[in-house]
Amino acid sequence: MRAFTYQRVHSPEEAAKAAAATPNARFIAGGTNLLDLMKLEIETPAHLVDVNGIGMDKIVATEDGGLRVGALVRNTDLASDPRVRRDYAVLSRALLAGATGQLRNKATTAGNLLQRTRCPYFYDTNQPCNKRAPGSGCSAIGGFNRHHAIVGTSDACIATHPSDMAVAMRILDANVETVKADGSRRVIPIADFHRLPGDTPHIEHVLAPGELITAVTLPKPVGGRHFYQKVRDRASYAFALVSVAAIVQRDGSGRVALGGVAHKPWRVAAAEQQLARGGKAVTDLLLANARVTEDNAFKVPLVQRTLDGLLLDARRT
Amino acid sequence: MDDHLNDAAPAQDIDTARRELLIAGALTAGAAALPGAACAQTPGATAPDKSATPAPVLSKVALRVNGQRYEKEVDTRTTLLDLLREHLRLTGTKKGCDQGQCGACTVIADGRRINSCLSLALMHEGAEITTIEGLGTPDKLHPLQAAFVKHDGYQCGYCTPGQICSAVAMLDEVQRGIPSHVTADLNARPLLSPMEMRERMSGNICRCGAYSNIMDAIGEVAGLSNLGSKA
């Protein structure tokens, strides 16, 4: 790990200012992803701004009937909040499907959104990777890419975003609230928060340097049956091969988003309008422009079958 | 208590300096292989300046471990795990993978189980940490320690401190009504079952494969019986 200076701050504004004022600074909250990457010197911040002491750790009701989740609310606390379990079960399910008890106790709402890919070539500093070292090439294309993305990819990168939580937030139409160093605040719809790789896979989200996430808001509950089906190589503690988040209403309509298939949570408006027609109709549109490899072509039928199984459950109950 | 204050041993300074030298050498060798590294566009993605190895930075941290207060001056890079093992000489907590995958380093921080390898010591200013040494003593074992002995919940024993700390906090999580991935009804109080225990303990790996005995040990303390052998 490279040496760094360390600073505790006491307000979101102070945090954003501190990060913007120091070259190569990063915020640290739970640290479960950042420290892992720092040990491997994939992340090499010169300065860490510890935001754990600045509050932002509460879940409160909003005026329009939704919830505002503080950026520092731990994954365990978000998953177990009675309001989330009752009204946003897909979010609770997604969080509980990720990581382990130990990690969920530390990992934060904002940090979960900002976790970096688990592409093995991103982690292997002996291999070229456009995300880690822009312009060096992509080892996953033509390499071992069973876990990699099949939609929204580019010739520069086929990495996936590893978050389960973000997939649930995507179908809940969550909004990300931030503060910048100049004190200005903005709200970013979750759909616009993460970027596709394009020619710049090292830029994964739309935050400006020093911009700090303060909260994620959930609109008022939409009802329906909530599902988060994660398919993985082990029964527990593994990243998704594919995951399907869905909210299905009594009339068969609903919302669908996928994890494990793209550089961001994957949702296509036209696809979920086909929900009443079954998994194949939805999958055909969701993954219409899929670019698969020999290793990960299985993800297309796997999405369809997972969705079919989930819709069967929705009809039964 | 005085011997716990700021006693950064000279030996550690030498170790640190030597490691810096090794890292610097490795980076110099690797620099030529990454010609594109300089064109990163965001601070987060900027590749390190391979020519300069930043000097170690020291900072103070005060916390309580197993009821005793410690104040130390440590390299900012020191993880909670390394603070416990290398600075406080509490070597019951183990370093397995050092990347949050095995759970051998599990400790209880302010009542919650965490991977001490993925947390900086400095992030625990004012915290109350419980390690395996704080749960029981050889004369007066914690019920889970006694149950692990009784049910032979280990072979080599390396994962055991993490397993036990994790299990203590896990049973508390169930008590507090925290659901898991396998909890059927999210809105009901979770009940402990073999499936619940396996899911909830999935962050602790035992490469000897003593899982069935570990389940028996935890199950006995939780008021269930013969879980592992039934499963």
Side-chain angles (χ1 to χ4, degrees), chain B residues 6-220:
Chain B
N6 310 333
D7 61 348
Q12 280 158 3
D13 291 345
I14 290 166
D15 282 353
T16 307
R18 183 167 171 274
R19 197 174 57 160
E20 288 303 317
L21 198 65
L22 291 171
I23 290 169
L27 285 170
T28 310
L34 293 165
C39 59
Q41 292 173 25
T42 65
T46 302
D49 177 6
K50 314 287 187 192
S51 60
T53 298
V57 181
L58 298 180
S59 191
K60 276 185 189 168
V61 62
L63 76 177
R64 296 179 70 82
V65 181
N66 302 329
Q68 185 172 348
R69 185 173 186 277
Y70 296 91
E71 189 176 331
K72 289 278 169 183
E73 186 167 49
V74 296
D75 188 314
T76 53
R77 292 170 288 186
T78 310
T79 60
L80 177 60
L81 174 61
D82 286 341
L83 176 80
L84 293 169
R85 288 183 55 85
E86 309 296 335
H87 297 261
L88 307 186
R89 313 287 183 211
L90 291 168
T91 52
T93 307
K94 302 301 186 221
K95 182 179 281 192
C97 68
D98 208 24
Q99 52 185 16
Q101 295 191 358
C102 76
C105 69
T106 303
V107 300
I108 302 169
D110 294 323
R112 295 172 158 227
R113 54 176 170 163
I114 63 165
N115 299 112
S116 62
C117 75
L118 284 187
S119 210
L120 293 175
L122 293 176
M123 291 160 65
H124 294 275
E125 175 70 26
E128 177 73 54
I129 310 292
T130 302
T131 69
I132 190 71
E133 291 95 339
L135 285 178
T137 64
D139 297 330
K140 194 174 182 226
L141 295 176
H142 183 281
L144 266 162
Q145 290 173 318
F148 267 70
V149 173
K150 176 181 168 188
H151 291 279
D152 207 11
Y154 41 74
Q155 183 173 305
C156 79
Y158 198 77
C159 74
T160 313
Q163 297 275 2
I164 292 176
C165 284
S166 186
V168 168
M170 181 275 287
L171 293 177
D172 181 57
E173 287 166 9
V174 176
Q175 277 287 312
R176 288 190 284 132
I178 292 171
S180 86
H181 174 60
V182 299
T183 306
D185 182 356
L186 271 186
N187 295 302
R189 275 199 76 78
L191 296 172
L192 207 56
S193 66
M195 209 208 296
E196 282 279 3
M197 289 197 347
R198 279 193 211 99
E199 162 60 26
R200 289 170 188 269
M201 292 297 294
S202 71
N204 291 85
I205 291 171
C206 169
R207 289 299 74 173
C208 300
Y211 294 113
S212 63
N213 294 2
I214 291 170
M215 288 296 107
D216 281 345
I218 302 171
E220 179 177 282

Side-chain angles (χ1 to χ4, degrees), chain A residues 145-150 242 287 290-305:
Chain A
N145 48 36
R146 179 170 175 269
H147 285 263
H148 288 74
I150 54 173
V242 305
L287 303 179
R291 276 211 314 194
V292 301
T293 68
E294 196 179 337
D295 289 345
N296 68 18
F298 73 93
K299 288 192 176 191
V300 176
L302 186 57
V303 165
Q304 185 193 319
R305 288 166 194 169

